[in-house]
Amino acid sequence: MAVTNRLACYSDPTDHYSHRVRIVLAEKGVAAEVISVDKNRYPAKLLEVNPYASLPTLVDRDLALYESTVVMEYLDERYPHPPLLPVYPVARGNSRLLIHRIQRDWCVLVDQILDARSKDAARAQARKELRESLTGVSPLFADKAFFLSDEMSLVDCCLLPILWRLPVLGIELPRQAKPLLDYMERQFAREAFQASLSPAEREMR
């Protein structure tokens, strides 16, 4: 049996957590085998290496990693160029905190909207909260090319998959969110972002 030395990423082609990792791979220019997984039929190899059978899962020779933020930070350290976390500890800490806040404030709402088990009223409330929250932070995107940064970072990698899915989430941002809308337009046009998209994601817009 051939030994696999290639980097393999088990990925859900529609899920925003898997999309984060694919953006990092594309930004780094890392040649990885992206294995699209049907949630109703997990490959035996995935079940073997990940006790939770969760996506995304990264396999690098004998190492298997899951939980998207763990995978992203590993890739940033394993392939240091271009860096997607700041060099200095204080700035790194701030970036990690922003990722945590995206997780707590926005990802929870996205997951609730997309969960078929959510009641219509709860979904509508989550949609309203997400739209208002994104509109509220829009001025933060006015001064920098990226989210509170002059360079692309893991924070952007967490945020962009949510913004790409706004049409699917049933959210249209108002005109006063122009700095955020401009940020989206710039980032979505980037070559690496386009390379990160699965065919299913391309159909979302």
Side-chain angles (χ1 to χ4, degrees):
M1 194 173 104
V3 177
T4 304
N5 283 331
R6 285 198 66 185
L7 199 64
C9 178
Y10 291 89
S11 169
D12 179 336
T14 63
D15 176 62
H16 63 104
Y17 297 108
S18 290
H19 192 184
R20 293 173 168 189
V21 173
R22 284 184 270 115
I23 293 174
V24 174
L25 289 168
E27 286 289 337
K28 300 277 185 184
V30 175
E33 182 186 5
V34 176
I35 302 162
S36 291
V37 176
D38 177 349
K39 280 181 284 194
N40 299 314
R41 211 171 68 226
Y42 286 107
K45 177 69 177 171
L46 175 61
L47 297 171
E48 187 186 307
V49 299
N50 180 346
Y52 305 103
S54 59
L55 298 169
T57 295
L58 186 82
V59 179
D60 188 0
R61 297 181 177 83
D62 297 331
L63 176 69
L65 295 172
Y66 30 92
E67 168 48 41
S68 62
T69 49
V70 173
V71 174
M72 290 193 304
E73 290 208 19
Y74 171 76
L75 288 170
D76 196 45
E77 290 172 354
R78 176 93 162 76
Y79 304 96
H81 301 291
L84 293 176
L85 274 177
V87 174
Y88 300 107
V90 170
R92 283 173 92 87
N94 279 328
S95 292
R96 289 188 170 112
L97 195 59
L98 282 171
I99 290 168
H100 177 69
R101 292 195 62 181
I102 288 169
Q103 192 72 33
R104 288 287 299 266
D105 296 349
W106 295 335
C107 292
V108 170
L109 296 173
V110 171
D111 294 341
Q112 189 171 8
I113 296 165
L114 295 175
D115 189 343
R117 297 164 299 181
S118 295
K119 290 187 166 62
D120 287 347
R123 198 180 279 126
Q125 180 61 29
R127 201 175 279 123
K128 178 175 181 286
E129 283 181 34
L130 183 57
R131 182 178 184 270
E132 288 176 356
S133 184
L134 289 171
T135 303
V137 300
S138 179
L140 297 177
F141 292 84
D143 299 329
K144 306 268 187 184
F146 299 94
F147 188 20
L148 297 176
S149 172
D150 293 317
E151 307 289 340
M152 178 77 174
S153 79
L154 293 184
V155 180
D156 300 282
C157 296
C158 293
L159 179 57
L160 289 169
I162 293 174
L163 298 174
W164 181 259
R165 284 160 175 73
L166 291 183
V168 175
L169 297 169
I171 293 172
E172 189 174 339
L173 294 174
R175 272 181 303 183
Q176 62 260 41
K178 189 176 187 309
L180 178 53
L181 292 165
D182 290 346
Y183 163 85
M184 289 162 60
E185 190 177 340
R186 283 196 310 275
Q187 301 310 321
F188 294 164
R190 284 167 59 92
E191 193 177 331
F193 183 84
Q194 286 295 317
S196 77
L197 294 167
S198 68
E201 284 162 343
R202 289 188 184 282
E203 290 177 9
M204 291 177 180
R205 281 182 172 266

